[in-house]
Amino acid sequence: MTTLTVDKLEPNMIVSEPVVTKRGQTIVKAGEKLTPQMIAKLTFYKIESATVEDIEEEAPVEEVPEPVQEETPEPKKTKPAQKEKKKEVDLAHPKETVKQSYTQIPYTQRLKASPTFQKFQSDYAINLAFLQKNFDDILAGATCSTDEMLKNCESLFKSKTTIELLNMLGNMRNLEDPVYSHSLNVGLISRVIGKWLKLPLEDVNLLTLAGLLHDIGKTQIPKEILNKPDKLTDEEFATMKTHTTLGKKVLNGKGFDPRILYAALQHHERCDGSGYPRGLEEDEIDDFACIVAIADVYDAMTSARAHRDPLCSFQVISEFEREGLHKFKTKYILTFLEHIANTYNNSRVMLNDAKTGRVVYINKSSLSRPVVQLDSGEIINLADSAYSNIFIKSIL
């Protein structure tokens, strides 16, 4: 076993002894393999060192000198004709060959390999640990610093465009603690929507907090229901729905702005009265709750589920267009969908028939069905009835 300072720890090292905070909370269990998120968590909790298993080094192979041979004329080597031909092709089109090999790498793989994503992943993990601590403090009746919560969230926005932020959030789905990762995502997406709506900075900050805390009631739901991979029974779903009232109850009396409490209570209400817990209609639902509801649904739809893969942004827009527009406040949902669609204008996409191309024009009357220029050069308008069976399956 070896004890290393946190800055010397590396992913895949195996922890020999439990890592515990000063309050006695176990951060990493013995025998667990370290991940970038775990290392970030240790940094957040100001853990100075951890004991890891020694890495067995392979014994060096003793080099045996080769017998000295008399020099003989080396026969002239002839390469197979097929290899010569391949080399000629590569040399004839070196740029095309490199470009083709790069574009064949999936976008997600390229993104995750980038230093920007790796830094974002580390900052995101620290934010998750901080958010969990905030939840714990609130549940224990202690005060939490909302200024610090906002400061941490803002760090994830630094030097990033909206498309970069959304793409990175879309690739953070394998993290533990789905309640906290979803809450963090909804806080960030709510902040984006607030900026798109040109709200005053004070309201944008308050909206961010409302998104971060909207699901705190889920901490009161039994884990066997919360983490159940299969479809919930009617009784289990009834229990799950209580997280809205439980959330307001947890936040009540802690000094939070009433709009944060309304977001926790009403983020599953719908403007047509089909939501819960009270079946409120449009004028009865708080504006912040309406915005957080949109961010909540968008993050849920772009997340992987046991029964389906995550939907791409154009598929989410299609779902909203098909059955969601009347459920959300018009000015909020249209602003959101238009900005999401325009965010991915000029992006490379794959259609459900496996053809690939680039989005060249967004149809305002049918945001999920833009004009696409295929790699073959053909331009197709997905809004035309001739392409009713064709849709964007993924963003490349």
Side-chain angles (χ1 to χ4, degrees):
M1 296 186 293
T2 305
T3 300
L4 300 175
T5 56
V6 171
D7 61 312
K8 301 293 184 185
L9 297 175
E10 296 180 4
N12 297 323
M13 287 182 171
I14 298 174
V15 176
S16 303
E17 300 174 358
V19 182
V20 182
T21 66
K22 293 178 180 178
R23 292 185 179 182
Q25 180 184 357
T26 301
I27 302 300
V28 184
K29 297 176 183 177
E32 281 193 292
K33 188 178 289 187
L34 287 174
T35 65
Q37 293 85 4
M38 289 179 182
I39 296 172
K41 213 171 193 180
L42 298 179
T43 303
F44 170 78
Y45 280 100
K46 297 181 180 178
I47 304 293
E48 295 180 357
S49 61
T51 303
V52 297
E53 292 183 7
D54 293 329
I55 301 174
E56 295 183 5
E57 296 184 1
E58 294 183 2
V61 179
E62 185 178 349
E63 294 186 3
V64 180
E66 295 182 1
V68 178
Q69 297 180 353
E70 294 183 6
E71 293 186 5
T72 56
E74 194 174 79
K76 188 175 180 180
K77 295 180 180 178
T78 57
K79 297 181 180 180
Q82 189 175 0
K83 290 187 178 180
E84 284 288 346
K85 185 177 180 181
K86 184 176 186 300
K87 184 177 179 181
E88 287 175 7
V89 172
D90 290 346
L91 291 174
H93 304 286
K95 291 183 180 180
E96 290 182 13
T97 303
V98 172
K99 183 179 179 182
Q100 183 182 13
S101 62
Y102 177 78
T103 55
Q104 285 175 345
I105 301 173
Y107 171 75
T108 298
Q109 188 176 335
R110 301 201 307 268
L111 177 67
K112 288 184 175 181
S114 69
T116 303
F117 178 81
Q118 291 166 11
K119 175 64 168 61
F120 181 86
Q121 190 178 40
S122 175
D123 291 343
Y124 187 97
I126 292 173
N127 266 270
L128 274 188
F130 187 81
L131 186 62
Q132 184 171 357
K133 181 179 181 298
N134 288 142
F135 276 36
D136 292 342
D137 287 343
I138 293 169
L139 293 168
T143 58
C144 68
S145 172
T146 53
D147 289 341
E148 197 69 27
M149 290 174 71
L150 289 170
K151 183 180 177 182
N152 282 322
C153 274
E154 287 171 0
S155 70
L156 295 175
F157 278 85
K158 275 188 177 179
S159 305
K160 293 176 187 66
T161 62
T162 301
I163 191 170
E164 285 175 329
L165 179 68
L166 293 176
N167 285 341
M168 287 184 181
L169 289 181
N171 283 280
M172 303 300 291
R173 308 303 184 190
N174 59 342
L175 295 174
E176 299 174 357
D177 304 325
V179 171
Y180 303 106
S181 58
H182 173 64
S183 296
L184 179 54
N185 289 356
V186 172
L188 294 171
I189 296 168
S190 295
R191 188 175 186 83
V192 168
I193 299 173
K195 290 183 175 182
W196 284 343
L197 291 168
K198 302 188 187 314
L199 298 181
L201 180 59
E202 183 181 348
D203 284 351
V204 170
N205 287 338
L206 200 57
L207 181 59
T208 305
L209 292 171
L212 291 172
L213 297 171
H214 81 288
D215 257 355
I216 193 169
K218 284 187 176 177
T219 59
Q220 309 301 296
I221 301 297
K223 289 190 176 180
E224 59 269 22
I225 294 178
L226 191 64
N227 300 324
K228 184 178 178 179
D230 303 320
K231 185 178 179 181
L232 299 178
T233 64
D234 291 344
E235 185 179 353
E236 289 169 337
F237 186 55
T239 300
M240 177 67 82
K241 290 198 294 185
T242 63
H243 80 274
T244 55
T245 52
L246 290 171
K248 182 177 183 264
K249 184 178 179 181
V250 166
L251 296 172
N252 198 31
K254 303 290 197 307
F256 290 106
D257 187 285
R259 286 174 286 183
I260 294 178
L261 273 67
Y262 281 130
L265 177 65
Q266 299 177 350
H267 65 275
H268 281 287
E269 298 285 4
R270 297 294 179 258
C271 292
D272 62 353
S274 63
Y276 65 86
R278 294 178 57 199
L280 302 179
E281 296 187 359
E282 182 169 352
D283 294 338
E284 301 172 295
I285 306 171
D286 180 78
D287 282 350
F288 274 25
C290 289
I291 296 171
V292 169
I294 294 171
D296 177 60
V297 172
Y298 179 81
D299 185 66
M301 291 177 113
T302 53
S303 299
R305 289 289 183 265
H307 59 281
R308 64 157 174 82
D309 292 329
L311 302 180
C312 86
S313 294
F314 283 103
Q315 289 174 300
V316 174
I317 295 171
S318 178
E319 289 291 325
F320 273 114
E321 287 177 331
R322 183 165 60 249
E323 58 180 56
L325 293 182
H326 62 287
K327 294 185 178 182
F328 301 90
K329 282 199 174 179
T330 304
K331 65 178 179 179
Y332 297 151
I333 190 63
L334 290 183
T335 297
F336 174 72
L337 295 182
E338 285 176 6
H339 276 83
I340 286 290
N342 284 312
T343 294
Y344 288 100
N345 194 16
N346 201 41
S347 295
R348 282 188 52 75
V349 295
M350 176 180 287
L351 307 180
N352 61 314
D353 62 358
K355 292 180 180 177
T356 56
R358 188 174 299 278
V359 175
V360 294
Y361 181 77
I362 301 295
N363 288 308
K364 288 189 176 181
S365 60
S366 186
L367 295 168
S368 64
R369 306 188 69 76
V371 177
V372 177
Q373 182 173 20
L374 301 177
D375 291 341
S376 63
E378 180 186 0
I379 296 178
I380 62 173
N381 185 354
L382 295 180
D384 287 348
S385 58
Y387 302 104
S388 59
N389 294 326
I390 303 298
F391 59 89
I392 294 174
K393 185 177 181 180
S394 61
I395 297 169
L396 302 177

